[in-house]
Amino acid sequence: MLLLEAERDTLLFPLQIVTGVVEKRHTLPILSNVLIEKNAGVLAMTATDLEIQIRTSTQAIATEDNFAITVSAKKLLDICRALPDKANLRLEVNEGQIQIKAGKSRFNLQTLPAVDFPVIESNGETESRASLPQKTLKHLISRVQYAMAQQDIRYYLNGMLLVLNGKTIMVIATDGHRLSFASAEMEQESPPQEIIVPRKTVQELGKQLADSDDLIQIEVRKNQVAFSFARIELVSKVIEGKFPDYNRVIPNNHTNVLKVSRLALLQALQRVAILSNEKFRGVRLVLNPNELRIICNNNEQEEAQEELEVEYQGAAIDIGFNVSYLLDALNNLSCDAVQCLFGDANSSMLLVQPDDASFKYVVMPMRI
């Protein structure tokens, strides 16, 4: 039975969108599959790992019959990628297998029943709704996602806090050693809402969002959040738990202010990090008026040192940090200069952009 005939890209583009959420190793074989449906001329593809589901649809398909089928997402994607541009594909199904024909190429793949595919259903009424340009959310995510924890026993840290409050949207991530905060203004008001979005969902959004003014709709439901944009709907469970009070973590009374070129600081840190201890990644910042010395040592008694001329009139401070945490923030900013605010050698550092309160990055010191 003929399912559809289409150009390669008609299948390739939606497959590239949905395959990112497919788990490579899963106890349920059907979770390695993509659900392909055609209904009223619309071709839709869905993939899920039971925590997050992504669905995309495309107008388009000329064959008469509607159908629903599941097939290995990775194998179908690899086949489509390997075929020539503009290749015409013909998909036929026969006795539990799907056959893909393109020119003189033939591929037979096993299928599993579409009725067994675990679609995540919409979970009740929408509690809060917001919309903003895709590029704004993409930008916010890029500013904080590197600070999310990875497989922390404090499960609520393995994600990003999304806060809707009137016309303001805020995103916060922390792994307990550093905290990143970013905010933006929206055109329309939204009821107050706080949810923790899982790490994988955040990363998938970061990949899928376009750098455009096209809108993304955010719908918060009970234990669920949905993001709709550009013929894509991404539905995710949210993490239950109490996120740390970020307002208490962000210092507001540091008086020692260092102003320095972001690029100069970034490059100096990258150079000294070559000789940092591979396990602890420690770097010392030694501050004196108008001077910053950056020092790294390792177990082989090797040392790297850099000196920068900076704007600084505060107290002399000798403080240690994980150099990777500093590089993460500097790499994800685009401003010319940054300000680093210090208390003393035992208190956290606050990194901000001059004259811009929409980004704050807090790093705890380490003993070196």
Side-chain angles (χ1 to χ4, degrees):
M1 170 186 152
L2 175 65
L3 295 182
L4 63 94
E5 280 186 90
E7 228 182 50
R8 181 193 77 149
D9 288 353
T10 305
L11 286 176
L12 179 60
F13 290 157
L15 275 169
Q16 286 173 325
I17 289 168
V18 302
T19 304
V21 308
V22 174
E23 288 290 340
K24 293 177 178 63
R25 295 182 187 85
H26 215 291
T27 49
L28 281 175
I30 201 160
L31 293 176
S32 302
N33 284 13
V34 57
L35 172 65
I36 305 175
E37 301 168 285
K38 187 178 140 276
N39 195 359
V42 175
L43 184 71
M45 294 193 189
T46 309
T48 184
D49 67 357
L50 298 181
E51 299 292 320
I52 170 177
Q53 172 179 291
I54 189 164
R55 178 182 175 87
T56 183
S57 59
T58 176
Q59 278 306 127
I61 308 298
T63 53
E64 295 283 321
D65 296 327
N66 296 332
F67 68 85
I69 197 167
T70 85
V71 63
S72 166
K74 176 86 169 57
K75 289 173 186 171
L76 186 56
L77 177 63
D78 287 347
I79 288 167
C80 288
R81 276 182 176 152
L83 289 169
D85 290 351
K86 308 290 183 189
N88 249 330
L89 272 62
R90 186 179 168 92
L91 271 61
E92 297 177 1
V93 68
N94 187 24
E95 294 181 357
Q97 285 199 327
I98 189 169
Q99 184 175 68
I100 301 122
K101 298 179 181 177
K104 295 189 176 179
S105 304
R106 298 282 183 280
F107 304 89
N108 288 318
L109 296 178
Q110 290 292 344
T111 65
L112 289 169
V115 290
D116 296 338
F117 192 84
V119 174
I120 298 176
E121 299 293 347
S122 172
N123 202 353
E125 288 183 20
T126 299
E127 295 174 358
S128 191
R129 184 180 278 111
S131 68
L132 65 158
Q134 285 187 50
K135 68 180 182 186
T136 303
L137 187 57
K138 187 180 181 75
H139 176 73
L140 289 175
I141 287 171
S142 74
R143 288 285 169 91
V144 305
Q145 68 171 358
Y146 51 84
M148 292 186 292
Q150 297 186 52
Q151 297 178 325
D152 197 294
I153 192 166
R154 297 162 294 180
Y155 54 90
Y156 49 83
L157 299 184
N158 301 320
M160 177 187 83
L161 182 69
L162 175 68
V163 181
L164 301 173
N165 189 3
K167 289 190 173 182
T168 304
I169 178 170
M170 294 174 274
V171 292
I172 302 98
T174 181
D175 59 8
H177 304 288
R178 36 96 176 255
L179 178 143
S180 195
F181 166 101
S183 66
E185 293 303 306
M186 302 183 292
E187 286 191 10
Q188 292 172 319
E189 288 209 19
S190 174
Q193 191 70 247
E194 290 191 8
I195 54 168
I196 305 173
V197 184
R199 178 185 178 83
K200 185 173 177 180
T201 306
V202 174
Q203 292 175 323
E204 198 60 34
L205 273 172
K207 283 193 296 188
Q208 300 290 356
L209 287 167
D211 211 359
S212 78
D213 289 317
D214 296 341
L215 293 180
I216 175 169
Q217 304 285 338
I218 304 172
E219 285 187 26
V220 181
R221 306 169 188 150
K222 190 181 178 191
N223 305 327
Q224 227 180 46
V225 60
F227 302 90
S228 305
F229 55 101
R231 302 188 78 92
I232 296 171
E233 186 190 44
L234 194 155
V235 179
S236 170
K237 292 183 178 177
V238 299
I239 297 173
E240 296 292 318
K242 184 80 177 87
F243 201 81
D245 183 352
Y246 55 92
N247 286 314
R248 285 182 57 194
V249 175
I250 299 171
N252 55 18
N253 56 358
H254 284 359
T255 53
N256 297 302
V257 182
L258 160 73
K259 187 174 181 183
V260 59
S261 156
R262 180 187 67 87
L263 205 55
L265 180 59
L266 173 64
Q267 291 170 345
L269 286 167
Q270 286 171 329
R271 288 191 293 267
V272 298
I274 296 167
L275 296 187
S276 68
N277 181 305
E278 286 183 16
K279 185 176 179 185
F280 300 109
R281 301 285 287 158
V283 61
R284 276 173 63 207
L285 305 186
V286 183
L287 279 160
N288 287 296
N290 297 325
E291 179 191 87
L292 168 64
R293 276 192 301 136
I294 306 170
I295 305 163
C296 270
N297 325 75
N298 60 26
N299 293 344
E300 286 83 50
Q301 265 66 57
E302 297 169 331
E303 182 177 278
Q305 191 167 151
E306 291 271 343
E307 276 191 32
L308 294 177
E309 285 187 23
V310 296
E311 291 181 38
Y312 182 73
Q313 296 302 326
I317 294 175
D318 186 337
I319 189 168
F321 295 104
N322 181 318
V323 70
S324 299
Y325 294 168
L326 303 182
L327 292 171
D328 281 343
L330 294 169
N331 272 318
N332 284 282
L333 291 171
S334 54
C335 51
D336 293 332
V338 292
Q339 282 183 329
C340 302
L341 286 77
F342 300 89
D344 55 34
N346 299 311
S347 55
S348 60
M349 179 189 81
L350 173 62
L351 188 149
V352 297
Q353 300 176 103
D355 308 315
D356 183 357
S358 70
F359 174 77
K360 293 174 180 147
Y361 184 64
V362 183
V363 193
M364 299 302 293
M366 67 184 288
R367 289 189 178 172
I368 296 176

